[in-house]
Amino acid sequence: MNKRLEAIVTGYVQGVSFRYYARKEALRLGLTGWVANSPDGSVRVVAEGSKNNLGAFSRFLMNGSPHAHVEHVQADWLDAKGEFSDFRIRHL
């Protein structure tokens, strides 16, 4: 059964290719969903897939891209809704 991870990543996470690397990692793990910069400087992520692959993705979010400095990841685990067909970079 697939799960859903909704996360807000804070720290130095905008302007450092965080969304690009998050999308690359999500696609590598076979996840669907999206990643977007929020107006408050955080990055918001919604991803669906297997619990194991989401766990690996969650660990990635704690480090982020090579130039990011993640301070905190607020993560909520939910049941998947199956509403995505791929993983995209969104603009909020």
Side-chain angles (χ1 to χ4, degrees), residues 13-83:
V13 293
Q14 289 192 11
V16 291
S17 301
F18 191 97
R19 293 175 302 161
Y20 168 81
Y21 282 95
R23 180 176 183 270
K24 184 177 176 181
E25 182 67 3
L27 292 173
R28 185 185 76 77
L29 293 167
L31 303 176
T32 60
W34 54 270
V35 59
N37 286 344
S38 293
D40 66 1
S42 66
V43 171
R44 183 152 180 238
V45 180
V46 176
E48 292 188 352
S50 74
K51 187 175 180 181
N52 285 343
N53 288 356
L54 284 173
F57 189 60
S58 177
R59 289 187 293 279
F60 161 82
L61 294 176
M62 293 178 193
N63 296 308
S65 64
H67 299 290
H69 176 67
V70 175
E71 292 177 4
H72 182 72
V73 177
Q74 176 188 329
D76 293 313
W77 293 85
L78 309 162
D79 290 331
K81 296 180 181 179
E83 62 186 296

